[in-house]
Amino acid sequence: MKRIGMLTSGGDCQGLNSTIRGVAKALYQEFGSDIEIIGFLDGYRGLIEDQAKIMSPRDFSGILTVGGTILGTSRQPFKMMQVPDENGVTKLDRMLETYKKRELDCLVILGGNGTHKSANMLRENGCNVVTLPKTIDNDLWGTDITFGYQTAIDIATDVIDKIHSTASSHSRVFVVEIMGHGAGWLTLSAGVAGGADIILIPEIPYSIDAVVNTLEKRKKNGHKFSIIAVAEGAISMEEAAMSKKEFKAARAAMTDPSIAYRLVREIAERSDVECRVVNPGHFQRGGGPCAYDRILTTRLGAAAARLIKHQQYGNMVAVRNDQIMPVPLSEVAGKLKTVPPDCEMVQTARQIGIYFGDELPKKKKDKDKKKDKDKDKKGE
Ligand code: F6P
């Protein structure tokens, strides 16, 4: 009898249930009644506290289109995993104890960046682990795409689409704040798909003067409204020049509720454009997966079952060039996949006239500079 533990960890997203379903159905097909799946509840907490449920094939039926996670989830910061409690016992100790007590052959872990660091720690401590890449942020290193991302793009795009009518009716500027602290993938994709006029992402620090300049230029050119898609982790050029410590202090002192509100305030201080914030927030993680994510998660889930069958543990199931393949957890853990500022999608966006807030007034042309130099030489 094979005993497989399963857990979903970190922020939820679309496609967790369809992934679990893919893994379970493929395992039942392969091993029949010779397999037992144990669902740990609320992420790593279930493993730490040995809160679990013995699953049956029926538990995995009818969940392909269901949002959230039937196992529940929680955030368990990696940095706290090896901190001893009052009895000198760490969360890691407890998880290893549960793994042993439950006589697991493998743990299937669905999660994003933090989750993968902890999964790798379990691997380093002797557990057999197979992971699956979850996050609407698409910022997990080692895979071209994470599940949840495509559905979240659809939702954020829909927000931008819908705000167009009010922006146009009222001749306003709308700032749509899109999830993503460390990486701007979702904002970039939804911004392009929704036809945003300005896209601000953490990887391309912006100048507020450039943003205001663009808004005014658009107005002068007859555009009645503008839409700014801003990632929640977008930073200004001044912030980009700060040390980590200075940046933290500056953000702690920020009185605006979020980056979108700060932008609206700063724009209002510099111009007379009427500006509003739209924050779809956790809507972006809500509901069931789109067709693309249903297919992707079924492929990923079945591939995880294959890894278990062949005992290829210690891997994340990844997508590279549309091929599903294992990537060693040791390579994935602790690395963030950010948007390369000169990537094709950014270039395409610029090419069609989307601004990124880094369009500072042009320096004097080289020709003019040479003229100035010549004048200096002549003493004019
Ligand atoms: O990691 C996914 C994510 O959706 C981020 O984009 C966002 O900043 C964060 O989760 C919000 O998390 P929480 O649910 O803890 O508010």
Side-chain angles (χ1 to χ4, degrees), residues 10-13 75 112-113 134-137 139 178-183 186 232-233 281-282 284-285:
D12 75 342
C13 80
R75 291 196 188 274
N113 274 301
K134 165 240 72 159
T135 168
I136 63 165
D137 298 339
D139 60 355
I178 296 174
M179 276 188 167
H181 269 298
L186 184 55
E232 57 185 349
H282 291 77
Q284 293 163 93
R285 299 206 317 234

Short mmCIF file of all heavy atoms in Angstrom, two decimals, residues 10-13 75 112-113 134-137 139 178-183 186 232-233 281-282 284-285, ligand 1:
data_model
loop_
_atom_site.label_atom_id
_atom_site.label_comp_id
_atom_site.label_asym_id
_atom_site.label_seq_id
_atom_site.Cartn_x
_atom_site.Cartn_y
_atom_site.Cartn_z
N GLY A 10 -0.13 28.43 1.31
CA GLY A 10 0.00 29.82 0.85
C GLY A 10 -1.34 30.38 0.40
O GLY A 10 -2.39 29.77 0.64
N GLY A 11 -1.31 31.52 -0.31
CA GLY A 11 -2.55 32.12 -0.79
C GLY A 11 -3.24 31.18 -1.76
O GLY A 11 -2.58 30.50 -2.54
N ASP A 12 -4.56 31.12 -1.70
CA ASP A 12 -5.25 30.22 -2.63
C ASP A 12 -5.21 30.80 -4.04
O ASP A 12 -4.77 31.94 -4.25
CB ASP A 12 -6.69 29.94 -2.17
CG ASP A 12 -7.63 31.12 -2.42
OD1 ASP A 12 -7.12 32.24 -2.62
OD2 ASP A 12 -8.84 30.92 -2.42
N CYS A 13 -5.64 30.03 -5.00
CA CYS A 13 -5.80 30.54 -6.36
C CYS A 13 -6.65 29.55 -7.14
O CYS A 13 -6.95 28.46 -6.64
CB CYS A 13 -4.46 30.79 -7.06
SG CYS A 13 -3.65 29.34 -7.71
N ARG A 75 -0.94 30.47 5.55
CA ARG A 75 0.44 30.92 5.31
C ARG A 75 1.28 30.54 6.54
O ARG A 75 0.94 30.93 7.66
CB ARG A 75 0.49 32.43 5.09
CG ARG A 75 -0.15 32.86 3.77
CD ARG A 75 0.27 34.28 3.42
NE ARG A 75 -0.47 34.80 2.28
CZ ARG A 75 -0.11 34.61 1.01
NH1 ARG A 75 0.97 33.91 0.73
NH2 ARG A 75 -0.82 35.14 0.02
N GLY A 112 3.31 28.22 -3.83
CA GLY A 112 4.13 29.21 -4.53
C GLY A 112 5.54 29.28 -3.94
O GLY A 112 6.07 28.26 -3.46
N ASN A 113 6.10 30.48 -3.93
CA ASN A 113 7.50 30.64 -3.55
C ASN A 113 7.86 30.18 -2.14
O ASN A 113 8.77 29.38 -1.95
CB ASN A 113 7.91 32.10 -3.72
CG ASN A 113 8.36 32.35 -5.14
OD1 ASN A 113 9.31 31.72 -5.60
ND2 ASN A 113 7.66 33.22 -5.85
N LYS A 134 1.88 26.71 -8.01
CA LYS A 134 0.65 27.49 -7.88
C LYS A 134 0.95 28.96 -7.63
O LYS A 134 1.81 29.26 -6.81
CB LYS A 134 -0.14 26.95 -6.68
CG LYS A 134 -1.23 27.85 -6.21
CD LYS A 134 -1.09 28.31 -4.73
CE LYS A 134 0.01 29.30 -4.49
NZ LYS A 134 -0.13 30.09 -3.25
N THR A 135 0.34 29.86 -8.34
CA THR A 135 0.26 31.27 -7.96
C THR A 135 -0.25 32.11 -9.13
O THR A 135 0.17 31.89 -10.28
CB THR A 135 1.59 31.89 -7.47
OG1 THR A 135 1.45 33.31 -7.41
CG2 THR A 135 2.79 31.61 -8.35
N ILE A 136 -1.11 33.05 -8.80
CA ILE A 136 -1.58 33.97 -9.84
C ILE A 136 -0.45 34.91 -10.26
O ILE A 136 -0.54 35.57 -11.27
CB ILE A 136 -2.81 34.80 -9.39
CG1 ILE A 136 -2.47 35.72 -8.21
CG2 ILE A 136 -3.98 33.91 -9.06
CD1 ILE A 136 -3.50 36.81 -7.96
N ASP A 137 0.61 34.97 -9.43
CA ASP A 137 1.70 35.92 -9.71
C ASP A 137 2.65 35.43 -10.82
O ASP A 137 3.43 36.23 -11.34
CB ASP A 137 2.52 36.17 -8.44
CG ASP A 137 1.69 36.80 -7.34
OD1 ASP A 137 0.65 37.40 -7.67
OD2 ASP A 137 2.07 36.70 -6.16
N ASP A 139 5.35 33.94 -10.59
CA ASP A 139 6.72 34.36 -10.26
C ASP A 139 7.59 33.22 -9.72
O ASP A 139 8.60 33.47 -9.06
CB ASP A 139 6.69 35.53 -9.26
CG ASP A 139 5.99 35.15 -7.96
OD1 ASP A 139 5.46 34.03 -7.86
OD2 ASP A 139 5.98 35.98 -7.03
N ILE A 178 -3.33 45.89 -9.45
CA ILE A 178 -3.34 44.44 -9.74
C ILE A 178 -2.35 43.72 -8.84
O ILE A 178 -1.28 44.25 -8.52
CB ILE A 178 -3.04 44.23 -11.25
CG1 ILE A 178 -4.19 44.87 -12.07
CG2 ILE A 178 -2.89 42.75 -11.60
CD1 ILE A 178 -4.01 44.88 -13.55
N MET A 179 -2.72 42.50 -8.41
CA MET A 179 -1.87 41.77 -7.46
C MET A 179 -0.49 41.46 -8.04
O MET A 179 -0.33 41.31 -9.25
CB MET A 179 -2.56 40.49 -7.00
CG MET A 179 -3.52 40.73 -5.85
SD MET A 179 -4.11 39.17 -5.19
CE MET A 179 -4.87 39.75 -3.67
N GLY A 180 0.45 41.31 -7.14
CA GLY A 180 1.83 41.01 -7.54
C GLY A 180 2.78 41.94 -6.81
O GLY A 180 2.91 43.11 -7.20
N HIS A 181 3.40 41.43 -5.73
CA HIS A 181 4.32 42.28 -4.96
C HIS A 181 5.71 42.29 -5.56
O HIS A 181 6.31 43.33 -5.75
CB HIS A 181 4.38 41.81 -3.51
CG HIS A 181 3.38 42.49 -2.65
ND1 HIS A 181 3.39 43.85 -2.46
CD2 HIS A 181 2.31 42.02 -1.97
CE1 HIS A 181 2.38 44.18 -1.68
NE2 HIS A 181 1.71 43.09 -1.37
N GLY A 182 6.21 41.08 -5.87
CA GLY A 182 7.60 40.99 -6.32
C GLY A 182 7.74 40.98 -7.83
O GLY A 182 8.82 41.26 -8.36
N ALA A 183 6.66 40.64 -8.53
CA ALA A 183 6.76 40.50 -9.99
C ALA A 183 5.53 41.08 -10.67
O ALA A 183 4.43 41.03 -10.13
CB ALA A 183 6.91 39.03 -10.35
N LEU A 186 1.37 39.58 -13.90
CA LEU A 186 -0.09 39.68 -14.01
C LEU A 186 -0.50 41.07 -14.50
O LEU A 186 -1.39 41.20 -15.36
CB LEU A 186 -0.72 39.36 -12.63
CG LEU A 186 -2.23 39.32 -12.53
CD1 LEU A 186 -2.84 38.35 -13.54
CD2 LEU A 186 -2.66 38.93 -11.11
N GLU A 232 0.75 45.95 -7.38
CA GLU A 232 0.78 46.41 -5.98
C GLU A 232 2.21 46.60 -5.49
O GLU A 232 2.46 47.34 -4.55
CB GLU A 232 -0.02 45.48 -5.07
CG GLU A 232 0.44 44.04 -5.11
CD GLU A 232 -0.44 43.10 -4.30
OE1 GLU A 232 -1.31 43.54 -3.54
OE2 GLU A 232 -0.25 41.88 -4.45
N GLY A 233 3.17 45.96 -6.17
CA GLY A 233 4.57 46.11 -5.75
C GLY A 233 5.36 47.09 -6.58
O GLY A 233 6.60 47.12 -6.49
N GLY A 281 -8.48 43.42 -5.85
CA GLY A 281 -7.98 42.62 -4.73
C GLY A 281 -8.11 41.12 -4.92
O GLY A 281 -7.75 40.57 -5.96
N HIS A 282 -8.69 40.47 -3.89
CA HIS A 282 -8.73 39.00 -3.89
C HIS A 282 -9.71 38.41 -4.89
O HIS A 282 -9.73 37.19 -5.07
CB HIS A 282 -9.02 38.50 -2.47
CG HIS A 282 -7.88 38.75 -1.53
ND1 HIS A 282 -7.64 39.99 -1.00
CD2 HIS A 282 -6.89 37.94 -1.07
CE1 HIS A 282 -6.56 39.94 -0.24
NE2 HIS A 282 -6.09 38.70 -0.26
N GLN A 284 -9.21 38.55 -7.77
CA GLN A 284 -8.30 38.00 -8.78
C GLN A 284 -7.93 36.54 -8.50
O GLN A 284 -7.42 35.86 -9.36
CB GLN A 284 -7.03 38.87 -8.84
CG GLN A 284 -7.30 40.25 -9.39
CD GLN A 284 -6.18 41.24 -9.07
OE1 GLN A 284 -5.27 41.43 -9.86
NE2 GLN A 284 -6.25 41.87 -7.92
N ARG A 285 -8.16 36.11 -7.26
CA ARG A 285 -7.85 34.71 -6.92
C ARG A 285 -9.12 33.86 -6.83
O ARG A 285 -9.05 32.66 -6.51
CB ARG A 285 -7.12 34.65 -5.57
CG ARG A 285 -5.81 35.39 -5.57
CD ARG A 285 -4.81 34.87 -4.55
NE ARG A 285 -5.30 34.55 -3.25
CZ ARG A 285 -4.80 35.04 -2.11
NH1 ARG A 285 -3.82 35.92 -2.14
NH2 ARG A 285 -5.26 34.64 -0.95
O1 F6P B 1 0.98 35.40 -3.69
C1 F6P B 1 -0.22 35.65 -4.27
C2 F6P B 1 -0.84 36.92 -3.80
O2 F6P B 1 -2.07 36.90 -4.44
C3 F6P B 1 -0.09 38.21 -4.08
O3 F6P B 1 -0.18 38.67 -5.38
C4 F6P B 1 -0.72 39.14 -3.08
O4 F6P B 1 0.13 40.20 -2.77
C5 F6P B 1 -0.90 38.25 -1.92
O5 F6P B 1 -1.08 36.95 -2.43
C6 F6P B 1 -2.03 38.61 -1.00
O6 F6P B 1 -2.09 37.65 0.02
P1 F6P B 1 -3.12 37.56 1.23
O7 F6P B 1 -4.18 36.60 0.81
O8 F6P B 1 -2.32 37.04 2.35
O9 F6P B 1 -3.69 38.93 1.44
#
